[in-house]
Amino acid sequence: MINQLTDLIVQRLNESKEHLKKQFSLKHPIKVARHFALDNLLPSEMAEKVYANFPKLKQMRLLNSYGELKLKYSHIKNTSSLLQDLHFAIQSPSVVAVIEDITEIKRQIPDQTSHAGGISALLKGYYINPHLDNSHGADRKLYRTVNVLYYVSPNWKLENGGNYELWDEAIENRIIVPSFFNRLVVMETNRTSWHAVNPVLCDAPRCCLFNYFFSEQSPEGEEYFHTAPLFSFSNPLFRARPEQKIRRALTLIKKTLRKIYKVI
């Protein structure tokens, strides 16, 4: 099944390669992370099976911390064979090679640990605030280059919420990329690739299979490092939305206090 899934994904990417290149290189009026979206990644019946094979919501871990409220399941090896096969198909060298060709981000490699990817679900009222992903993998040796997100909630509509958002660095303006069923979204990740998921507004869960690719070289041509500290209420990789004025003010105060603390 892994080979079949790999071939299907590679075929769809190649069919739309030139269009996806234009999407990825498009200069938006709002400066956000480069990205592309590809619909109908897999045959519909297969995509529906992927959704049906998602872990039960009660089996997933609730993450309720500063900046996010979501369900996550990281143990791919404990999921169904279909989900495992799809995970490894997305991480296959041939898929990585096509995405590297589309993005022109060189020397990308799959997740060698199989720990970076996973499964997420957002229920009604769940959200993820604007944030940066950790710059490196778990061993801090490889830079993250792209997020690879595959959405499988049937009949998902823009008005359902739970949609992917790309924000400018000031967290003032955004581009919304709807989390449509059977859609693949690829976004570059670096020091300014702020992204989020707006609150889910419907009763159905928004389900996503997510992966990352890596590289030994910095995607920006120079060294950098950022990561979220463990057990931190004020996670510096999360920011408040424009309408969250009180939280924005608190974040600014805490940021100033951190700077003073470092000086002291």
Side-chain angles (χ1 to χ4, degrees):
M1 179 63 81
I2 294 177
N3 291 337
Q4 180 185 358
L5 288 166
T6 300
D7 290 344
L8 287 169
I9 295 170
V10 169
Q11 180 181 345
R12 280 294 295 129
L13 288 167
N14 279 324
E15 286 174 352
S16 303
K17 182 183 289 186
E18 295 308 312
H19 175 63
L20 298 178
K21 283 184 175 182
K22 291 179 181 178
Q23 275 193 57
F24 195 80
S25 61
L26 182 64
K27 301 294 183 182
H28 293 275
I30 301 171
K31 188 177 180 181
V32 297
R34 294 179 297 171
H35 62 283
F36 70 76
L38 174 63
D39 291 317
N40 303 313
L41 179 69
L42 299 175
S44 294
E45 290 184 2
M46 187 172 292
E48 290 171 0
K49 288 181 180 178
V50 173
Y51 174 74
N53 275 264
F54 255 59
K56 301 298 182 183
L57 297 178
K58 63 182 180 181
Q59 298 175 320
M60 302 179 75
R61 177 188 174 196
L62 176 65
L63 298 181
N64 184 5
S65 61
Y66 180 83
E68 65 180 351
L69 178 60
K70 69 179 182 180
L71 295 172
K72 182 179 179 181
Y73 195 90
S74 300
H75 305 293
I76 294 292
K77 64 180 180 180
N78 295 332
T79 60
S80 70
S81 59
L82 176 58
L83 287 180
Q84 291 184 56
D85 289 347
L86 179 56
H87 171 80
F88 289 113
I90 291 173
Q91 293 282 351
S92 68
S94 54
V95 171
V96 175
V98 181
I99 289 179
E100 179 177 303
D101 186 22
I102 293 169
T103 63
E104 297 185 354
I105 300 174
K106 303 302 182 184
R107 300 179 184 176
Q108 295 190 60
I109 58 176
D111 176 18
Q112 297 175 329
T113 66
S114 296
H115 294 318
I119 288 168
S120 70
L122 274 68
L123 308 181
K124 189 173 185 178
Y126 286 25
Y127 64 92
I128 305 174
N129 262 14
H131 66 284
L132 293 176
D133 292 329
N134 292 338
S135 61
H136 289 66
D139 59 6
R140 301 190 177 187
K141 294 180 180 179
L142 300 175
Y143 288 89
R144 291 192 186 192
T145 54
V146 295
N147 291 3
V148 183
L149 310 165
Y150 178 52
Y151 298 105
V152 292
S153 297
N155 303 312
W156 201 260
K157 301 177 182 178
L158 177 65
E159 54 266 33
N160 288 356
N163 296 302
Y164 205 55
E165 299 176 323
L166 303 171
W167 288 84
D168 61 12
E169 195 168 2
I171 314 300
E172 296 290 348
N173 302 287
R174 65 179 177 174
I175 289 174
I176 296 179
V177 182
S179 304
F180 291 149
F181 172 67
N182 202 11
R183 165 174 274 194
L184 182 78
V185 174
V186 174
M187 179 202 77
E188 69 175 336
T189 178
N190 51 38
R191 286 180 290 188
T192 59
S193 54
W194 292 92
H195 57 288
V197 180
N198 56 23
V200 174
L201 303 175
C202 67
D203 293 325
R206 191 232 62 175
C207 297
C208 176
L209 183 77
F210 61 92
N211 282 272
Y212 304 96
F213 297 162
F214 297 87
S215 176
E216 292 181 352
Q217 65 181 26
S218 165
E220 296 189 11
E222 60 183 37
E223 292 185 5
Y224 64 90
F225 178 80
H226 56 254
T227 185
L230 294 176
F231 313 117
S232 170
F233 173 74
S234 181
N235 185 332
L237 300 188
F238 277 98
R239 290 186 183 174
R241 296 173 178 273
E243 65 270 20
Q244 297 174 317
K245 298 186 184 302
I246 295 176
R247 180 173 288 190
R248 277 204 160 191
L250 289 173
T251 300
L252 180 60
I253 291 170
K254 290 171 182 176
K255 183 178 180 181
T256 302
L257 290 175
R258 281 196 301 270
K259 288 182 178 179
I260 295 173
Y261 175 77
K262 288 180 179 180
V263 171
I264 295 174

